């Protein structure tokens, strides 16, 4: 099975250790979603935008661990999307994003960069 990651699970990020047994298949950009900062981690919600991601092949054990981390308390829900690497699970944020910072670039790694002219 495959998973799409867009924030702290990406390479060299704070929770990338969860992906130790995963195989990176490549980078991908998903359309129809927006990326928000929730503080120390991000969330994606359906919207008019794009999000920069990585796609990994994972085993059932890793998916179970990620589900425990992400879906606890109903904060995220998995959604199956098509990628160039086959269908993959995406964790979609389930709570309101009003008042949260939209990351216009769609790239969690660039969240602290200001657009030119600001």
């Amino acid at each position: 099975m495959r998973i799409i990651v867009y924030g702290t699970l990406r390479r060299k990020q704070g929770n990338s250790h969860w992906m130790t047994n995963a195989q990176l298949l490549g980078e991908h950009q998903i359309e129809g979603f927006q990326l928000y900062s929730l503080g120390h981690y991000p969330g994606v919600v359906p919207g008019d935008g794009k999000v920069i991601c990585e796609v990994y092949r994972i085993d059932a054990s890793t998916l179970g661990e990620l589900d425990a981390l992400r879906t606890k308390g109903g904060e995220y829900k998995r959604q199956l999307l098509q990628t160039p690497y086959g269908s993959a699970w995406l964790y979609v944020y389930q709570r309101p994003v009003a008042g949260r910072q939209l990351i216009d670039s769609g790239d969690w790694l660039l969240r602290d960069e200001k657009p030119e002219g600001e």
Side-chain angles (χ1 to χ4, degrees):
M1 65 192 70
R2 289 168 291 281
I3 191 161
I4 301 168
V5 300
Y6 51 83
T8 63
L9 294 171
R10 287 175 66 184
R11 289 173 288 179
K12 300 180 183 174
Q13 295 301 298
N15 283 327
S16 62
H17 62 276
W18 289 93
M19 305 305 288
T20 301
N21 295 323
Q23 175 191 5
L24 176 65
L25 299 175
E27 294 184 1
H28 180 54
Q29 177 176 292
I30 56 173
E31 304 283 338
F33 290 91
Q34 292 178 302
L35 182 68
Y36 284 86
S37 175
L38 307 175
H40 295 291
Y41 59 96
V44 297
V45 297
D48 186 25
K50 63 180 178 6
V51 179
I52 309 303
C53 308
E54 296 169 358
V55 180
Y56 287 85
R57 175 172 284 122
I58 60 173
D59 59 23
S61 173
T62 300
L63 184 64
E65 292 171 356
L66 294 175
D67 276 351
L69 179 70
R70 293 288 180 232
T71 62
K72 180 180 168 186
E75 192 172 21
Y76 292 87
K77 183 178 178 183
R78 274 196 280 132
Q79 180 177 338
L80 197 59
L81 298 181
Q82 293 303 315
T83 76
Y85 311 101
S87 57
W89 291 109
L90 172 71
Y91 287 100
V92 179
Y93 190 63
Q94 298 298 299
R95 297 188 178 150
V97 293
R100 301 289 191 168
Q101 176 194 354
L102 173 64
I103 301 171
D104 288 317
S105 68
D107 191 339
W108 178 248
L109 305 183
L110 302 177
R111 66 191 174 278
D112 295 327
E113 294 185 13
K114 299 287 184 204
E116 287 186 34
E118 284 191 25

